[in-house]
Amino acid sequence: MANLSLSLYLILRIYALLLLFNVSFAKTLKRDMKALNEIKKLVGWRLVYSWVGDDPCGDGVLPPWSGVTCSKVGDYRVVVKLEVYSMSIVGNFPKAITKLLDLTVLDMHNNKLTGPIPPEIGRLKRLITLNLRWNKLQQALPPEIGGLKSLTYLYLSFNNFKGEIPKELANLHELQYLHIQENHFTGRIPAELGTLQKLRHLDAGNNNLVGSISDLFRIEGCFPALRNLFLNNNYLTGGLPNKLANLTNLEILYLSFNKMTGAIPAALASIPRLTNLHLDHNLFNGSIPEAFYKHPNLKDMYVHKLSKVSLCKTIYNTHVLI
């Protein structure tokens, strides 16, 4: 048995070495070499010193460039991941990135990128993760992002985007996480986003969005997988619709600092997994339905405007700030 285990281990090691040898000595696609070298001319000094040579995938002597991951496709190596974050990269979003057609991950968060995302971003059909948060990107989001059919993670928070949220985002049928908070988006949140069957997390807080929650939930059966909804610090009006109770997977509902009115419906207390409900700094009236105090999972509930003297109750494991 010991000899068999040793033989299997050696076979696996040889197989892994063969794979590494195969990838290392395949030629890098000229398209990707040209695109990365264009980017190299534009980025900051930190990358220039770690991007040595002309081949981003390595040439057998020099290693692959830092933050660049390649994979063998046919007879060539192609760039599949570009992860260059917290590198003080300055200037406009490099349009050459849109020539890396095999990219699955593009992570450039926490840099100093400015200007718009070019519409050519729609060429990256294999992209699964797009992370551009914590930059200084501007202008409107290009609707071409809606053509990235494999996109699962979209992080655009903490930038200076403006204009309306493109309804084309509803074409991203694989999307699970959408972070667009801390920007300058205006207009209404497209109700079409509710058709995204896999969307688990939607954060559009700290923008300049208007409209009512009822408009967002007008499509029957919307947001079936949603767990976290953050729409705080906007200009949303109207009341809380009973349809919110249909979000049976919802755990966090954060609607603080809006201009919402009316009574808090008892139907919300029937959301089985709800743990955090933030409704403070709105214009709600009436009393808190007793059902909230008996909710088995609700941990924190914040209602009304905060004052110098706040009354806190703990009933049935629920922390209620009144």
Side-chain angles (χ1 to χ4, degrees), residues 10-26:
L10 291 174
I11 291 171
L12 291 174
R13 285 296 300 267
I14 292 170
Y15 179 71
L17 288 171
L18 287 173
L19 283 178
L20 181 63
F21 180 86
N22 199 22
V23 171
S24 298
F25 288 89

Side-chain angles (χ1 to χ4, degrees), residues 227-294:
R227 292 188 178 184
N228 305 316
L229 178 60
F230 293 81
L231 300 177
N232 54 288
N233 296 80
N234 282 292
Y235 297 94
L236 302 177
T237 55
L240 292 170
N242 287 326
K243 278 187 174 182
L244 280 170
N246 296 331
L247 303 181
T248 55
N249 290 305
L250 195 66
E251 297 175 3
I252 299 175
L253 179 59
Y254 196 174
L255 300 174
S256 304
F257 292 91
N258 279 287
K259 298 180 180 297
M260 301 183 67
T261 57
I264 300 172
L268 269 63
S270 66
I271 302 175
R273 299 183 179 181
L274 192 64
T275 60
N276 296 78
L277 179 61
H278 295 245
L279 304 175
D280 56 286
H281 289 82
N282 278 283
L283 301 172
F284 294 116
N285 54 42
S287 59
I288 301 173
E290 187 67 22
F292 284 106
Y293 295 111
K294 299 179 180 180

Side-chain angles (χ1 to χ4, degrees), residues 21-319:
F21 180 86
N22 199 22
V23 171
S24 298
F25 288 89
K27 292 182 179 179
T28 302
L29 196 65
K30 287 184 178 180
R31 176 202 68 196
D32 289 6
M33 287 183 62
K34 182 178 179 182
L36 263 299
N37 277 281
E38 284 182 34
I39 297 167
K40 183 179 178 180
K41 296 175 183 177
L42 302 174
V43 297
W45 61 269
R46 292 187 184 181
L47 277 183
V48 171
Y49 282 105
S50 61
W51 285 10
V52 180
D54 295 325
D55 193 336
C57 299
D59 58 9
V61 177
L62 295 172
W65 291 0
S66 175
V68 176
T69 302
C70 300
S71 181
K72 189 171 181 290
V73 176
D75 296 329
Y76 293 93
R77 293 178 300 179
V78 296
V79 177
V80 294
K81 294 182 181 181
L82 182 58
E83 299 167 290
V84 285
Y85 48 84
S86 302
M87 299 291 288
S88 298
I89 301 174
V90 298
N92 289 340
F93 181 94
K95 189 178 291 188
I97 287 175
T98 65
K99 299 176 183 178
L100 301 172
L101 303 184
D102 292 286
L103 270 187
T104 60
V105 174
L106 175 57
D107 189 347
M108 300 184 73
H109 79 269
N110 197 26
N111 283 295
K112 299 177 182 179
L113 296 174
T114 56
I117 297 177
E120 290 84 356
I121 193 77
R123 300 171 60 187
L124 304 181
K125 302 297 184 183
R126 295 191 169 108
L127 205 59
I128 295 173
T129 299
L130 177 57
N131 188 355
L132 298 174
R133 58 187 168 189
W134 290 104
N135 277 285
K136 298 180 180 181
L137 294 165
Q138 303 158 323
Q139 300 186 28
L141 288 186
E144 287 81 4
I145 287 181
L148 306 178
K149 302 298 185 181
S150 299
L151 200 63
T152 305
Y153 307 94
L154 180 56
Y155 304 109
L156 301 175
S157 50
F158 297 94
N159 278 285
N160 295 314
F161 292 116
K162 62 182 182 179
E164 296 190 354
I165 300 169
K167 65 180 184 298
E168 287 81 3
L169 295 183
N171 297 327
L172 302 174
H173 300 302
E174 297 299 320
L175 194 63
Q176 295 183 25
Y177 292 86
L178 176 57
H179 290 249
I180 53 175
Q181 72 270 24
E182 296 283 354
N183 280 287
H184 305 291
F185 289 114
T186 55
R188 299 172 185 268
I189 305 170
E192 291 84 356
L193 294 181
T195 64
L196 295 173
Q197 298 295 303
K198 298 181 180 181
L199 188 64
R200 301 174 62 180
H201 186 106
L202 170 57
D203 193 340
N206 287 280
N207 280 288
N208 298 308
L209 300 168
V210 299
S212 70
I213 297 291
S214 297
D215 291 338
L216 180 60
F217 290 91
R218 70 171 185 265
I219 298 176
E220 197 67 30
C222 60
F223 298 107
L226 196 63
R227 292 188 178 184
N228 305 316
L229 178 60
F230 293 81
L231 300 177
N232 54 288
N233 296 80
N234 282 292
Y235 297 94
L236 302 177
T237 55
L240 292 170
N242 287 326
K243 278 187 174 182
L244 280 170
N246 296 331
L247 303 181
T248 55
N249 290 305
L250 195 66
E251 297 175 3
I252 299 175
L253 179 59
Y254 196 174
L255 300 174
S256 304
F257 292 91
N258 279 287
K259 298 180 180 297
M260 301 183 67
T261 57
I264 300 172
L268 269 63
S270 66
I271 302 175
R273 299 183 179 181
L274 192 64
T275 60
N276 296 78
L277 179 61
H278 295 245
L279 304 175
D280 56 286
H281 289 82
N282 278 283
L283 301 172
F284 294 116
N285 54 42
S287 59
I288 301 173
E290 187 67 22
F292 284 106
Y293 295 111
K294 299 179 180 180
H295 195 292
N297 295 314
L298 189 61
K299 302 299 181 184
D300 293 295
M301 179 177 178
Y302 294 83
V303 294
H304 297 311
K305 291 183 178 180
L306 299 177
S307 59
K308 291 183 180 179
V309 179
S310 298
L311 176 62
C312 297
K313 299 179 183 178
T314 301
I315 305 178
Y316 297 102
N317 295 320
T318 302
H319 179 76

